Amino acid sequence: MSDPIIAVRHVTKRVTDSSGTLTILDDIDFSLQARESAAIVGASGSGKSTLLSLIAGLDTPTEGTVVLAGEDLFALDEDARAAVRARRVGFVFQSFQLLPNLTALENVMLPLELLGRPGARAAATEMLGRVGLGERLRHYPRVLSGGEQQRVALARAFVVEPAVLLADEPTGSLDFATGERVMGLMFDMNREAGTTLVLVTHDRGIAARCDRQLHIEAGRLVT
């Protein structure tokens, strides 16, 4: 078997304040192969989003490490981790995280421009057409519906051809029917692109569509 695309190795996360030390994650250890999909599930406050942030290298563990696409993230400095994210990771957030002063097209072009890739406009235009927004290229986020904004976010995530897609409650701000359409599109695009998907969700139906479910209870991975 080839090396995993994501390897979370004995990761523990603790925070300390005036009330003492709180263990958010406790000795989390698992790996995912390329093209695999996994849902991180558990009650609110169980550590799901913290785990996703650690996989992305956006947060640092107290113990352990994460290897992402062959890079030991926490052997790198912050700038080097950011460079790995830019090249290898796409993100989809509950709150869309679109830049309000940029059009749909400009939002999707931005990660390509930051990477210095040629043909950003053409690639972004094609990707927005893929998500059904070919007629909305020049619209700003404020005039787009929630479902349309999340489709722009999907286009932005996939346009860099990431090895890994990380999604944090991607339907949390959408009504059920819109969320179903967005998730169907995300799974279709993920399968076509051969991307490894890790998503945090409370929705059992969405979790069941993934190859694996990672259950977090009180900061621990349970089977």
Side-chain angles (χ1 to χ4, degrees):
M1 183 178 290
S2 60
D3 291 338
I5 191 76
I6 298 170
V8 178
R9 295 298 179 229
H10 301 289
V11 163
T12 293
K13 178 67 178 181
R14 302 186 188 96
V15 295
T16 301
D17 60 19
S18 58
S19 63
T21 298
L22 174 66
T23 299
I24 300 174
L25 294 170
D26 186 6
D27 195 30
I28 303 294
D29 193 90
F30 68 90
S31 60
L32 295 172
Q33 295 298 128
R35 297 177 175 267
E36 207 170 2
S37 60
I40 302 173
V41 297
S44 295
S46 60
K48 303 185 301 298
S49 291
T50 299
L51 178 55
L52 201 71
S53 292
L54 289 166
I55 293 171
L58 292 166
D59 196 1
T60 56
T62 306
E63 299 169 12
T65 196
V66 175
V67 180
L68 178 68
E71 299 274 6
D72 184 341
L73 293 181
F74 302 108
L76 305 174
D77 63 24
E78 190 171 338
D79 287 344
R81 287 198 300 273
V84 171
R85 281 194 298 273
R87 295 193 314 270
R88 310 292 283 175
V89 182
F91 292 94
V92 179
F93 300 95
Q94 177 178 339
S95 56
F96 318 133
Q97 299 288 352
L98 301 178
L99 295 177
N101 60 325
L102 298 183
T103 65
L105 180 62
E106 290 165 343
N107 266 284
V108 179
M109 288 173 60
L110 183 61
L112 295 172
E113 292 176 328
L114 292 174
L115 288 168
R117 293 190 188 174
R121 180 174 294 273
T125 300
E126 180 180 353
M127 188 59 70
L128 282 164
R130 171 68 181 85
V131 301
L133 294 175
E135 303 300 316
R136 307 286 261 166
L137 302 182
R138 294 175 179 80
H139 289 74
Y140 289 90
R142 65 180 178 272
V143 300
L144 299 175
S145 69
E148 288 171 332
Q149 289 186 65
Q150 196 61 299
R151 282 187 279 153
V152 174
L154 281 177
R156 181 183 59 189
F158 278 106
V159 77
V160 297
E161 300 178 334
V164 174
L165 178 67
L166 302 179
D168 193 356
E169 296 285 2
T171 62
S173 297
L174 306 175
D175 64 73
F176 177 79
T178 303
E180 284 289 294
R181 289 193 295 272
V182 167
M183 289 309 300
L185 181 61
M186 189 177 82
F187 278 107
D188 287 347
M189 294 175 72
N190 191 72
R191 184 171 53 253
E192 291 167 12
T195 306
T196 300
L197 170 65
V198 184
L199 67 90
V200 167
T201 184
H202 285 98
D203 189 314
R204 292 183 179 181
I206 292 173
R209 297 177 67 172
C210 293
D211 299 321
R212 294 173 59 185
Q213 295 184 35
L214 304 170
H215 293 266
I216 306 292
E217 291 184 9
R220 294 190 65 87
L221 188 62
V222 296
T223 56

